[in-house]
Amino acid sequence: MADNAEVIIIGAGLIGLSIAYHLASKGISNVVVIEKESLWGHGSSGRSAGGIRLEFSHPSAVKFSQYGLEMFRHFEELFGISASFNPCGYLFLTRDPGKWNVMQNLSFMQQSLGVPVTCLSPQEVSYRFPYVQIPDLVGATFCPDDGVADPGAVLYGFAKRAMDLGVTIRLGEQVTGILVHHDQIAGVKTSKGMISGRVVVNAAGPYARSVGHMVGVEIPVHPYRRNIYVTTPFMKLPQNMPMTLDLETTSYLRRDGDSILLGMSDPDEPSSYHTETDHQALEKLIETLLHWVPILADASILRGWAGLYEVSPDDTAIIGEVEGISGFYCANGFSGHGFMHSPAAGRVIAELITGEEPFVDLKPFLLKRFTDNQPTTETFVI
Ligand SMILES: Cc1cc2nc3c(=O)[nH]c(=O)nc-3n(C[C@H](O)[C@H](O)[C@H](O)COP(=O)(O)OP(=O)(O)OC[C@H]3O[C@@H](n4cnc5c(N)ncnc54)[C@H](O)[C@@H]3O)c2cc1C
């Protein structure tokens, strides 16, 4: 028997659930979220490092982060559960003079939007963050408002509040097809039946491309494995150290309680859906990190996990209604920023569906930027 929903959301990760919550808080509660797995742990949302930062290259992305940061700071008041936000700051390091010029210019744009980012010389970095030892460091940016939060608590908060407001979340059910009638969305086919509805949102994370294919649309999002490792308790680094990132190697570290959390992208690893932890990647990561944080030679690895980044060609999300298919919306390709941008992505998709003006300019996120050959430029990519 066919069900009916005003909005059908494919995927119950942070993005799908934030959209559901934002729709329901605007009074649209006949919303169904379809998730092929369980609520937690299968998608990217269960594997995130929980980082939140305001340094982006486009004002819209900065405003996305600002909305998210405000929500994470006040999460308990809004959702009844703490997001455990820790404002440890972010320190981005570079040895590339060209990139350093760009970062300094971007800091003016970011400051004009209220971001308290400062540019640091190599001497200032050595003085304030002596564990960083990069002889050819050119400069760094530091933003004390940035930090980390608990993606599990945020996901739970979105899900719980959305359900309290009337949203239905259906787990263990896979969307296998999307119905379109005269270029208008008409519903979805699932492993358990049919649901009719005129609005479908693709929030399928690393599976966004295959959901796009259900309506004949190419959404250029590819899955890439990213590994994270955590040390045993390690007190030789400062307790209040910021998330510290080396833009050239993409290696990063931050505190995780008494331990240190470490990670890095591997540009040589091809796209795949593998999510088992890669031990060879750990060797590469340690070799890389020891070059610039030598004190880590005294640390031991306790555990690790891997998850999928959903990467777009310009490392920027794809957000909006797809031209030519009325009622088909995408919120995909967050490329490592989907936790911090989940609140704002939920807000703008809800605004688009209810016919309101989005609170930020969505031009850098439109799918058609790829066919128009006008990709968005993003400098801060890890
Ligand atoms: C190791 C790692 C570290 C990260 N660190 C950070 C960070 O520090 N800061 C940050 O902001 N972001 C970070 N991210 C990125 C962030 O986690 C993701 O961008 C975000 O979780 C994406 O959320 P999502 O809801 O789009 O995807 P997901 O959480 O993957 O959810 C999509 C869901 O859709 C479901 N689905 C797919 N197809 C179907 C279908 N046909 N039918 C039904 N259900 C379907 C999937 O099962 C999945 O549960 C990190 C990611 C990883 C892997």
Side-chain angles (χ1 to χ4, degrees), residues 131-179:
Y131 60 88
V132 174
Q133 294 193 16
I134 305 181
D136 54 346
L137 184 69
V138 174
T141 58
F142 177 66
C143 179
D145 278 13
D146 300 343
V148 295
D150 177 357
V154 172
L155 187 119
Y156 175 82
F158 285 153
K160 172 83 171 57
R161 187 52 51 86
M163 287 191 291
D164 290 347
L165 292 169
V167 169
T168 305
I169 301 174
R170 289 169 41 164
L171 303 176
E173 182 170 353
Q174 180 160 0
V175 173
T176 54
I178 299 177
L179 312 172

Side-chain angles (χ1 to χ4, degrees), residues 10-17 34-38 42-52 90 155 173-176 203-208 210-211 214 224 226-228 243 252 305-310 331-332 334-341:
I10 306 174
L14 284 157
I15 300 296
L17 292 170
I34 312 285
E35 169 55 57
K36 66 184 170 68
E37 308 280 352
S38 58
H42 291 278
S44 306
S45 300
R47 318 284 172 109
S48 171
I52 302 149
Y90 258 62
L155 187 119
E173 182 170 353
Q174 180 160 0
V175 173
T176 54
Y207 303 89
S210 55
V211 169
M214 293 177 190
Y224 285 90
R226 293 288 185 264
N227 297 278
I228 287 181
M243 173 83 95
Y252 65 89
W305 69 89
L308 300 173
Y309 263 32
E310 359 62 91
N332 305 126
F334 288 85
S335 309
H337 316 136
F339 170 53
M340 64 187 99
H341 284 173

Side-chain angles (χ1 to χ4, degrees), residues 54-73:
L54 299 170
E55 299 95 311
F56 278 91
S57 303
H58 196 284
S60 292
V62 175
K63 289 175 191 171
F64 257 46
S65 288
Q66 286 175 315
Y67 178 72
L69 182 62
E70 256 334 89
M71 185 176 271
F72 296 134
R73 279 177 174 155

Side-chain angles (χ1 to χ4, degrees), residues 202 208-220 322-325 328 330 367:
N202 178 355
R209 190 160 170 253
S210 55
V211 169
H213 289 164
M214 293 177 190
V215 288
V217 170
E218 181 60 26
I219 297 172
V322 173
E323 278 185 10
I325 306 176
F328 186 61
C330 286
L367 175 63

